[in-house]
Amino acid sequence: ADDLDWKLWNEVPRLRALQNEGITFTNYVVSDSLCCPSRTTIFRGQYVHNHQVLSNEATNSGGWPTFRDKGYPSDCLPTWLQSAGVTTALFGKYLNEYPTSPRSARYVPPGWNQWGVPVSRGDSYTGYNYILNDNGRLVKYGKKPSDFLNDVITTKATDFIRATPDPFFLMLSTYNPHNPSPVAVRNKGTHFATVAPRTPNYNHLGTNEPSWLRGIETLSPWRQSHLDKVWRQRAQSAESVADSVDAVMATLAATGHADDTLVVVTSDNGYHIGAHRMTKGKRTAFREDTVVPMVVLGPGVTPGTRINAMSASIDLGPTFTSLLGAQVPSWADGRSLSDII
């Protein structure tokens, strides 16, 4: 998921219930609470200071152009897996500033057997009126309910599961609940009575705060009311993440893959609303932004297990690689969690 924090996770009953079905990593930390650096860490198994994709924009040493120029597309998780005979697919969000121009909109990076990634950037976040690079073919989607991006990529994911022989690796990368937090028609009207959690640090004036935080004033009643509206919108949007999980799990069961497929549900970074008097956003070192949901479902998993030991996004690439019989490069910073799972 994109910008899904623990508080919001627990607001969605179907997501919260997953913790009773699988292993919850309660102290899973992202390397950077920002989209492109965090996703690069997943693909490379490296801390940000090692892979050096530092932001979402090429002008600030980040984004897809930096990832590309460093040669990472040919040496990252999908290529490691593909070299071991694994069929790979990515449907949904990839890396910020992909593609770099209309001429490169049909480009599919190495390592991916199936590819369904929006190339219209900003429009993709709204859920409608976007263009999808569908295995090198550009497909335009409009504003009908059936065009809703999260549903389109989820259908592609379930079709992939039905059609692909073992072994396979599928990355279903939703844009939800990232701002502007698009909501499927069926999920509108949910969470209408909820408000942003009034945790102990909500709108709280701390002690010995860093200089950048010290100058932030307490939130006015009007601003708190606005943040509650943002929270409700994000909660409705996060229901689509639960829709995707439900669809994937049902397809695995229907195809006989429920007993041989591991499912990891997680987020690229967290999000804060009202914590420490901050309005909304990410990019801080506070737990709301950096410690994010991760629940593992599948064969051999003991339901309801909680693992409090620290794990991190650097560990995902090595974990998937080792589980699927591929070789983890010696320079990777992460460690496989396969012994724990």
Side-chain angles (χ1 to χ4, degrees):
D2 197 346
D3 289 7
L4 179 62
D5 61 284
W6 264 122
K7 294 291 189 301
L8 191 62
W9 171 284
N10 288 323
E11 175 67 26
V12 180
R14 287 179 294 161
L15 294 179
R16 189 171 64 245
L18 294 177
Q19 295 176 247
N20 297 324
E21 302 174 22
I23 299 175
T24 301
F25 286 78
T26 62
N27 201 18
Y28 170 74
V29 182
V30 296
S31 61
D32 190 340
S33 54
L34 185 62
C35 300
C36 197
S38 180
R39 291 164 187 265
T40 299
T41 288
I42 293 172
F43 288 135
R44 291 277 293 177
Q46 290 179 297
Y47 291 113
V48 175
H49 63 262
N50 284 332
H51 65 59
Q52 288 289 298
V53 178
L54 305 180
S55 75
N56 288 342
E57 299 87 25
T59 53
N60 293 316
S61 301
W64 155 250
T66 302
F67 186 92
R68 177 201 60 203
D69 293 347
K70 289 183 176 293
Y72 294 160
S74 60
D75 191 8
C76 63
L77 177 60
T79 61
W80 307 336
L81 297 178
Q82 198 179 66
S83 66
V86 178
T87 303
T88 61
L90 191 154
F91 301 118
K93 185 172 179 177
Y94 180 43
L95 297 173
N96 301 72
E97 295 196 341
Y98 165 87
T100 53
S101 69
R103 287 187 300 175
S104 58
R106 299 178 187 273
Y107 175 75
V108 178
W112 298 106
N113 296 97
Q114 293 290 322
W115 183 257
V117 173
V119 296
S120 42
R121 297 189 182 176
D123 291 337
S124 307
Y125 289 92
T126 70
Y128 296 98
N129 296 314
Y130 55 91
I131 298 172
L132 195 72
N133 177 339
D134 188 349
N135 293 316
R137 183 173 61 95
L138 300 184
V139 182
K140 170 72 176 174
Y141 289 84
K143 57 183 179 180
K144 301 190 300 293
S146 59
D147 293 325
F148 186 61
L149 175 57
N150 202 77
D151 291 349
V152 169
I153 61 175
T154 299
T155 297
K156 287 186 174 297
T158 55
D159 288 346
F160 174 81
I161 294 171
R162 292 188 186 95
T164 307
D166 289 334
F168 63 78
F169 172 80
L170 164 65
M171 188 170 184
L172 175 55
S173 184
T174 80
Y175 280 77
N176 299 59
H178 189 290
N179 181 60
S181 306
V183 179
V185 172
R186 62 183 171 277
N187 293 325
K188 291 183 178 180
T190 60
H191 304 277
F192 62 90
T194 186
V195 296
R198 268 49 172 180
T199 55
N201 66 16
Y202 177 85
N203 203 22
H204 179 70
L205 184 65
T207 303
N208 296 325
E209 292 180 332
S211 57
W212 65 266
L213 183 59
R214 219 172 294 149
I216 298 179
E217 298 179 353
T218 54
L219 301 169
S220 67
W222 177 88
R223 182 156 288 181
Q224 292 184 60
S225 176
H226 171 71
L227 292 178
D228 288 339
K229 293 179 181 177
V230 172
W231 172 264
R232 286 190 285 272
Q233 178 82 10
R234 280 175 50 79
Q236 292 175 359
S237 183
E239 289 287 347
S240 286
V241 179
D243 292 338
S244 295
V245 176
D246 286 349
V248 166
M249 299 304 290
T251 305
L252 290 174
T255 56
H257 282 301
D259 295 330
D260 63 12
T261 306
L262 202 67
V263 176
V264 178
V265 188
T266 188
S267 179
D268 59 355
N269 50 258
Y271 203 81
H272 59 258
I273 292 186
H276 307 284
R277 310 183 311 285
M278 297 183 295
T279 52
K280 57 183 179 177
K282 44 196 176 185
R283 306 193 71 174
T284 79
F286 290 116
R287 290 183 64 89
E288 288 83 0
D289 297 354
T290 57
V291 181
V292 306
M294 186 167 83
V295 176
V296 178
L297 309 159
V301 167
T302 302
T305 301
R306 302 289 192 273
I307 294 180
N308 299 322
M310 181 176 285
S311 56
S313 51
I314 56 170
D315 300 324
L316 291 186
T319 300
F320 300 147
T321 304
S322 62
L323 285 171
L324 287 165
Q327 185 66 39
V328 181
S330 60
W331 46 255
D333 296 318
R335 301 179 181 180
S336 174
L337 303 173
S338 56
D339 290 342
I340 300 175
I341 295 172

